[in-house]
Amino acid sequence: MKQLQTARKDAKGKEKANLKKKLKPAKKLKGKQKPKPKDSDESSDEDIPPLKDTRTSDEPVPRKTKWTNKQRVLVLCARGINHRDRHLMKDLKTLMPHHRAEPKMERWKTLSIVNEICEMKHCNKVVLFEGRRKRDLYMWLANAGHGPSVKFLIENIHTMGEMKMTGNCLRGSRPLLSFDEEFTKQPHLALIKELLIQIFGVPNHHPKSQPFVDRVITFTFLDNRIWYRHFQILSEDGGLVEIGPRFVMNPIKVFDGSFSGTTIWENAEYQSPARHRQMLRKAASEKYKASIKHKVDAELHKPVLTHEFDPYGEIFQGDTEMKAKQLIEKEQKRPALEKERQKIEEMQKRMKQKDAMRKLKLAAAKQQKTSNVMNKRTAAKVAEAKGKTTGKKSAANGGALKSKKVDQGKKKVTGKAK
């Protein structure tokens, strides 16, 4: 018992000592105290300028923003493009981090629906690809809603996967846009240049872009077409390596509105690809016709007898008896050959006559069938008309009989009442 009591006293003493340690006052820090870290809200508040003493409720609060050029490009295609055109569209999407994708547009929809899609997607610009006959590709570049819009025919398409160039660049980097001098000389090219800058130029401080410039997109005007090339910048000296894709834009028309409106400019030298293929086929057919005509002319102008031979000049050369026998045999065979020819000609005439008679019989049979069908139809119509008239008459007669019976019944009733 004494041992237990001593153990309890020792435990109580230890607990009191621990409590005293806990209740000791904290030591004061000597020297300068460490500054407390500022909150993120305070730092953000410092950036915002102070508010005015008096302001209206409609006046917006000033904010500091970096991403001011908020260009959003809608890239979509209509149904009917082939695999190469689809790969080209995919390459352009990878090169434009500020794009917004959209599924394929149905063919029966009009182009004015694209403006509504842009409003839904909050896009300013549009790149629309249209395919015709699974071989021709058209591209629309437009300023959504207000216009203008340009229609191009895309030619000589080579995608990045097809070319396999050695050039490479950072995904999402901002490109330099290089234009030919011709874009400043002609007014329609100046308008196209502005559209290309706003569509292919990546906005500064875009959330999906990278703050690097390591590539160049060149637009050169040659042969009434705009040639698109994409290069990597290797060094500041001007060393370039092509990345891809590459294609040629043949401008067709420039419209005042977005996919509509009056035509501001039209390419007078434009020729549709279908017309171009037709011209090529026509040229090939004319070449074939010329060769055939040359052969026919050669046969017509070819002399029948190059030299005048004496039929009996070679009789006395060689074995005269054998040659005499051959000539006699030929003369004997001539009437038989003529008879065979006459028989063949007669047979051909008979066959032609039979064919003509057969065709006439078929035509007569067809006419009879059509006339019979028409007669049946007319007879059916007449019968229907007669049935209707007889039905009306019978109904009228039935009504008259009923009225007579009713009158007779009334008379009987009145007679009984009397």
Side-chain angles (χ1 to χ4, degrees):
M1 291 293 288
K2 287 181 181 180
Q3 288 178 357
L4 288 170
Q5 287 176 0
T6 54
R8 284 175 184 174
K9 286 179 182 179
D10 294 336
K12 286 180 181 179
K14 287 179 181 179
E15 286 177 1
K16 287 179 181 179
N18 290 330
L19 286 169
K20 286 178 182 179
K21 285 180 182 178
K22 287 179 182 178
L23 295 171
K24 279 183 181 180
K27 293 181 180 179
K28 293 181 180 180
L29 294 170
K30 293 181 180 180
K32 293 182 180 179
Q33 293 183 356
K34 292 181 180 179
K36 293 181 180 180
K38 292 182 180 180
D39 296 336
S40 60
D41 296 335
E42 292 178 1
S43 62
S44 62
D45 292 339
E46 288 178 0
D47 297 336
I48 298 171
L51 296 173
K52 297 178 183 179
D53 296 334
T54 58
R55 66 185 184 89
T56 60
S57 60
D58 297 332
E59 189 177 350
V61 179
R63 292 181 181 178
K64 189 176 180 181
T65 56
K66 288 184 177 180
W67 180 30
T68 55
N69 181 17
K70 296 189 178 182
Q71 293 286 345
R72 299 181 185 90
V73 183
L74 180 69
V75 181
L76 75 160
C77 67
R79 289 195 179 274
I81 63 172
N82 56 16
H83 64 284
R84 181 176 286 178
D85 305 339
R86 190 172 64 253
H87 292 167
L88 175 66
M89 185 179 69
K90 189 178 178 181
D91 292 344
L92 292 178
K93 283 181 180 179
T94 55
L95 297 176
M96 293 192 294
H98 59 293
H99 84 278
R100 291 202 175 179
E102 179 70 15
K104 287 182 181 178
M105 191 178 73
E106 298 294 336
R107 282 185 175 180
W108 56 269
K109 291 183 179 179
T110 57
L111 294 175
S112 59
I113 293 173
V114 181
N115 295 322
E116 297 177 6
I117 297 169
C118 287
E119 288 182 5
M120 292 167 64
K121 293 279 185 177
H122 304 287
C123 294
N124 306 328
K125 303 292 181 291
V126 187
V127 179
L128 174 65
F129 291 94
E130 274 189 311
R132 304 281 174 83
R133 301 182 182 181
K134 290 286 185 180
R135 58 173 71 183
D136 305 327
L137 180 66
Y138 294 90
M139 184 173 71
W140 287 83
L141 301 180
N143 184 16
H146 307 289
S149 56
V150 188
K151 186 179 181 181
F152 296 96
L153 172 68
I154 306 300
E155 301 171 341
N156 301 332
I157 299 169
H158 299 283
T159 59
M160 283 195 284
E162 181 183 351
M163 291 169 63
K164 295 181 181 178
M165 292 288 186
T166 56
N168 195 5
C169 64
L170 185 66
R171 189 185 182 93
S173 61
R174 300 182 66 213
L176 294 173
L177 300 179
S178 174
F179 290 90
D180 194 5
E181 292 181 358
E182 289 290 328
F183 284 91
T184 58
K185 295 178 181 179
Q186 301 182 26
H188 71 280
L189 289 178
L191 189 144
I192 292 170
K193 177 184 175 181
E194 188 62 31
L195 262 178
L196 292 171
I197 289 169
Q198 294 182 15
I199 288 171
F200 289 99
V202 179
N204 194 12
H205 299 292
H206 192 274
K208 292 184 181 179
S209 66
Q210 299 291 338
F212 300 102
V213 179
D214 60 348
R215 58 195 179 99
V216 183
I217 297 174
T218 61
F219 298 96
T220 55
F221 186 76
L222 182 67
D223 194 17
N224 292 324
R225 289 168 175 81
I226 299 169
W227 300 69
Y228 176 96
R229 293 290 182 273
H230 184 217
F231 298 96
Q232 178 195 359
I233 301 171
L234 289 177
S235 60
E236 295 180 358
D237 301 335
L240 300 174
V241 178
E242 190 170 358
I243 302 170
R246 59 164 69 167
F247 55 91
V248 181
M249 296 184 287
N250 188 2
I252 302 170
K253 283 184 181 181
V254 179
F255 296 95
D256 187 13
S258 178
F259 300 100
S260 61
T262 58
T263 54
I264 301 170
W265 175 82
E266 186 175 359
N267 189 359
E269 298 180 0
Y270 170 72
Q271 190 180 41
S272 65
R275 178 67 177 167
H276 182 66
R277 288 191 291 269
Q278 185 183 2
M279 294 291 287
L280 290 175
R281 287 196 297 270
K282 193 174 181 181
S285 64
E286 285 178 356
K287 187 178 178 182
Y288 176 69
K289 287 177 183 177
S291 65
I292 290 172
K293 187 180 178 183
H294 181 69
K295 287 181 182 178
V296 171
D297 291 339
E299 288 180 359
L300 287 173
H301 296 292
K302 184 179 178 181
V304 180
L305 295 172
T306 55
H307 301 285
E308 293 182 357
F309 293 100
D310 187 4
Y312 303 103
E314 296 180 356
I315 291 173
F316 301 102
Q317 293 179 4
D319 193 357
T320 55
E321 292 182 359
M322 288 292 292
K323 288 185 178 180
K325 286 179 182 179
Q326 289 176 0
L327 289 170
I328 291 165
E329 286 176 358
K330 282 182 181 179
E331 288 178 356
Q332 288 176 356
K333 288 179 181 179
R334 275 181 186 175
L337 292 170
E338 287 179 358
K339 285 181 181 179
E340 287 180 0
R341 284 178 185 174
Q342 288 176 359
K343 286 180 181 179
I344 291 165
E345 287 177 357
E346 287 177 358
M347 288 290 289
Q348 287 177 352
K349 286 180 181 179
R350 288 174 188 172
M351 291 294 289
K352 286 180 181 179
Q353 288 176 358
K354 285 181 181 179
D355 290 336
M357 291 295 292
R358 186 168 55 80
K359 288 178 181 178
L360 288 170
K361 286 179 181 178
L362 288 170
K366 284 182 181 179
Q367 286 180 357
Q368 285 180 358
K369 283 182 181 179
T370 52
S371 62
N372 291 331
V373 170
M374 292 297 291
N375 292 330
K376 285 180 181 178
R377 287 179 182 174
T378 52
K381 287 180 181 178
V382 169
E384 286 179 1
K386 284 182 179 179
K388 287 179 182 179
T389 53
T390 53
K392 287 179 181 178
K393 286 180 181 179
S394 61
N397 293 329
L401 290 170
K402 284 181 182 179
S403 62
K404 284 180 182 179
K405 286 180 181 179
V406 169
D407 293 337
Q408 289 175 2
K410 284 181 180 179
K411 285 178 181 179
K412 286 180 181 179
V413 170
T414 52
K416 286 179 181 180
K418 288 178 181 179

